[in-house]
Amino acid sequence: MDETRFNVFADIQAIMTNTSLPESFFESVLERLLSFGYTLKETDGVELGFVIQKLENHVKNSCNTNSVPEGLFNAAVDAVCGEFLFTKKQTGRLELNDLDLTGAVTSIKEGDTSVNFGSGTSEDEKLTLFLNILMHSMDGDLVCYRRMQW
């Protein structure tokens, strides 16, 4: 693990002291970001910690549980990465060349909705569509783990 990655991981751990998520979740988030060609920065740990806390609270509240269900692990990793990268993009801290999405996706079909990243779509539109897919990848799965609240 290089020094920047180690420091980002340590920052996330320091923030996530009261969590039901295992450390492997934090490692998976960092691995997923790196798989997109994103280069970690020393300051990313605080922002990632906030996004992870936000996602964990959202899942717990939506499902009325005390922890994030194991079946949502991978979708939750994608949701954190999508939210993190989307926030960076919206605040002007993410450039299109910060990510390598050439082989990520060409088209997606889910139910009656389909998204095609064809040649007529600009790079910025492709990135926005991809980030939306990441951020909302677990929305349908939350229902499977929902418990009644008394």
Side-chain angles (χ1 to χ4, degrees):
M1 190 181 296
D2 70 7
E3 186 177 344
T4 302
R5 185 173 172 184
F6 179 80
N7 292 338
V8 169
F9 185 79
D11 287 345
I12 294 170
Q13 282 181 308
I15 292 168
M16 301 298 296
T17 56
N18 188 19
T19 182
S20 65
L21 294 167
E23 286 186 1
S24 62
F25 183 85
F26 313 144
E27 293 169 1
S28 294
V29 167
L30 297 179
E31 283 294 322
R32 188 72 163 144
L33 286 171
L34 293 171
S35 76
F36 296 139
Y38 180 77
T39 303
L40 292 172
K41 296 161 187 64
E42 290 286 337
T43 57
D44 287 342
V46 173
E47 192 168 353
L48 277 166
F50 174 79
V51 173
I52 292 169
Q53 282 180 330
K54 180 180 171 183
L55 172 105
E56 181 180 21
N57 289 332
H58 173 69
V59 171
K60 286 176 174 181
N61 292 335
S62 295
C63 297
N64 192 32
T65 62
N66 294 326
S67 63
V68 175
E70 190 176 316
L72 292 176
F73 187 92
N74 291 329
V77 168
D78 276 355
V80 166
C81 292
E83 180 83 22
F84 172 75
L85 293 171
F86 184 76
T87 300
K88 284 209 167 275
K89 179 181 178 287
Q90 292 302 98
T91 57
R93 296 178 291 134
L94 180 69
E95 298 294 325
L96 289 175
N97 57 359
D98 286 348
L99 300 175
D100 177 20
L101 301 175
T102 53
V105 182
T106 56
S107 68
I108 294 175
K109 182 168 174 49
E110 208 170 299
D112 61 350
T113 304
S114 112
V115 176
N116 186 357
F117 299 123
S119 59
T121 308
S122 74
E123 293 299 312
D124 186 54
E125 290 172 325
K126 287 179 187 179
L127 178 59
T128 300
L129 288 170
F130 181 68
L131 294 179
N132 279 327
I133 289 167
L134 285 176
M135 288 188 301
H136 301 290
S137 63
M138 74 173 179
D139 290 354
D141 295 337
L142 285 174
V143 176
C144 298
Y145 298 96
R146 187 174 238 171
R147 294 186 175 168
M148 299 229 1
Q149 186 173 7
W150 296 100

